[in-house]
Amino acid sequence: MGRLCESLPVILLLFALLLLHQSLSQGFEESESTRWVNEEVEVNNAPELHCSRERSRAAWQIIQDYLTPFVERERYQIPKNCRLHPDNDLYRDQEQHKIHVDVFEWKCGYCKKSFNDEKFLDKHFSTRHYNLLNTTDTKCLADLCGALHCDFVLSSKKPKTKCNPAAVAKNRHLCESVANSCFPVSQGPSASRLHEHFLRQFCDAHTCTGKDKPFPRGGKKKSGVFYLAISILTLMLLPLFYLLVFLYQREKRSGTQELRRIRKTGKKPKPS
């Protein structure tokens, strides 16, 4: 009876810990279920946007690679009524809040949540931060993909055996209208030169002859990959170089020591 009384506080403590564990587990499950319910509610409440994020991103990259370097060279300010202006990209703010930490890590700039692939971060933006999109007057940059040759860059479509003159004419008209609105020749020499550049760089390739290719004037030099490859190669060869130097120095020292030994043994002892 005495032993039972002594062990009673321990039993009560264990029982209290068991109840606390069950309570915490239940609370965690409820919070998890609530989070998933909220996630589903946000998905259902998210407005349906008829604007491809992937093609908008491709159009933006084409502008950055094949147009922006020439615009910066001319020190030209793209007007806000131009459809190429960053304010007319629906996803520009979200794209700027992407943090590429590593090859397999992307982070949301709004809530700092991490993902192992960019496509999951895109889905996260669409479900959790859709309310941050300005859908009032913003136009979809993907609508300009026909003029900017997005399919040529993405290689998402196989080349057609037969050209569609109607589609080509439509894309060329869109391309020329962008050139006229973004670089009006009446705005001065810089705008006039950029207008000519845009026609040659983008619009001339909209033809069924197949002679003209997109972006004939080139674009931004992509030296990042080259320097990365050189850096990796240097890091791989540097230890080998030091190993060869070490072996050479060791062989040189051993040869010098051997020569000294031979000289010592070759010396005749002096007569007494």
Side-chain angles (χ1 to χ4, degrees):
M1 186 69 179
R3 290 181 180 180
L4 181 61
C5 293
E6 291 177 358
S7 61
L8 185 60
V10 178
I11 296 174
L12 292 176
L13 179 61
L14 291 175
F15 183 70
L17 290 175
L18 181 61
L19 291 178
L20 179 62
H21 179 267
Q22 290 180 350
S23 177
L24 290 176
S25 299
Q26 184 178 0
F28 177 77
E29 292 176 358
E30 288 178 356
S31 63
E32 282 293 303
S33 61
T34 304
R35 185 177 68 85
W36 284 110
V37 167
N38 292 336
E39 184 80 14
E40 292 178 358
V41 170
E42 289 192 8
V43 171
N44 293 331
N45 291 338
E48 185 179 0
L49 299 175
H50 300 283
C51 182
S52 170
R53 184 187 294 270
E54 180 186 7
R55 293 177 70 80
S56 295
R57 184 161 52 236
W60 175 261
Q61 194 60 51
I62 290 171
I63 294 170
Q64 294 302 303
D65 290 343
Y66 300 105
L67 181 62
T68 300
F70 302 93
V71 174
E72 292 177 348
R73 188 182 306 168
E74 293 287 348
R75 296 181 179 179
Y76 179 79
Q77 294 292 330
I78 296 179
K80 286 193 174 184
N81 64 331
C82 170
R83 296 180 67 178
L84 303 176
H85 194 277
D87 291 347
N88 293 324
D89 181 11
L90 176 64
Y91 301 110
R92 183 63 5 225
D93 185 70
Q94 288 189 350
E95 290 293 317
Q96 291 175 342
H97 279 80
K98 285 183 177 180
I99 304 174
H100 195 183
V101 181
D102 204 345
V103 179
F104 299 107
E105 184 178 3
W106 292 79
K107 185 173 289 186
C108 172
Y110 298 115
C111 63
K112 308 304 179 183
K113 190 174 181 180
S114 297
F115 304 87
N116 59 6
D117 198 294
E118 187 179 13
K119 64 181 180 181
F120 297 123
L121 179 55
D122 289 340
K123 187 176 181 181
H124 171 75
F125 280 148
S126 299
T127 57
R128 303 290 293 184
H129 303 298
Y130 69 91
N131 57 315
L132 299 177
L133 293 175
N134 183 13
T135 58
T136 54
D137 299 323
T138 307
K139 295 180 180 179
C140 179
L141 197 60
D143 293 341
L144 299 180
C145 269
L148 299 176
H149 306 280
C150 292
D151 292 328
F152 178 81
V153 175
L154 292 172
S155 299
S156 58
K157 293 183 178 180
K158 296 181 179 180
K160 297 180 180 179
T161 56
K162 188 176 180 180
C163 180
N164 186 344
V168 168
K170 180 181 179 181
N171 289 333
R172 188 180 185 91
H173 176 72
L174 176 61
C175 185
E176 292 174 349
S177 67
V178 171
N180 294 333
S181 62
C182 296
F183 313 105
V185 294
S186 60
Q187 294 298 317
S190 295
S192 181
R193 285 191 293 267
L194 288 171
H195 184 274
E196 178 70 15
H197 170 80
F198 194 89
L199 293 177
R200 303 290 82 81
Q201 186 84 318
F202 298 98
C203 303
D204 284 354
H206 291 296
T207 175
C208 285
T209 61
K211 295 180 180 179
D212 298 317
K213 299 297 181 182
F215 328 125
R217 298 190 175 185
K220 184 186 297 182
K221 295 181 179 179
K222 299 182 179 181
S223 58
V225 178
F226 174 76
Y227 284 119
L228 179 62
I230 293 296
S231 302
I232 294 175
L233 186 62
T234 303
L235 290 175
M236 292 174 62
L237 294 180
L238 197 59
L240 181 61
F241 171 75
Y242 282 116
L243 178 62
L244 292 176
V245 171
F246 170 75
L247 293 176
Y248 172 76
Q249 293 291 341
R250 190 178 68 172
E251 186 68 23
K252 187 178 179 180
R253 285 195 300 269
S254 62
T256 304
Q257 293 174 359
E258 182 68 20
L259 183 61
R260 289 176 180 174
R261 187 181 63 80
I262 293 174
R263 285 179 178 178
K264 288 180 179 180
T265 54
K267 287 183 179 180
K268 295 180 180 182
K270 293 181 180 181
S272 55

